Amino acid sequence: MTLGKHLRLVLTNDAGVTALAADRVYTEVRPQAPTVPAVVFTEVAGDDDLALDGPTGTSSRRVQVDSWAKGRAEA
């Protein structure tokens, strides 16, 4: 499973997120004129871990999550 699919699954299965945004959780691009509130997440950085003898098999990723709504309090 890709990172994007996993994050979308985690967010859409969170009761707090679904209470506000339902299934309006998008990867990288928000559709034009979407229903809000909505959530958009984007991978902004990542590195594979290396040791002296090569790849360790682990990696790190940094993800930005943006919440879109009609007002600040709702977002």
Side-chain angles (χ1 to χ4, degrees), residues 1-64:
M1 177 179 291
T2 65
L3 175 63
K5 287 181 181 179
H6 179 72
L7 282 175
R8 187 173 194 290
L9 182 67
V10 168
L11 290 169
T12 56
N13 283 318
D14 182 275
V17 173
T18 56
L20 296 172
D23 66 342
R24 295 181 301 274
V25 177
Y26 306 105
T27 305
E28 296 186 8
V29 179
R30 182 179 65 129
Q32 286 191 334
T35 303
V36 290
V39 176
V40 179
F41 63 90
T42 306
E43 184 179 328
V44 294
D47 289 314
D48 293 325
D49 192 33
L50 298 173
L52 293 175
D53 59 348
T56 65
T58 62
S59 61
S60 65
R61 298 290 182 256
R62 183 175 300 165
V63 177
Q64 175 178 318

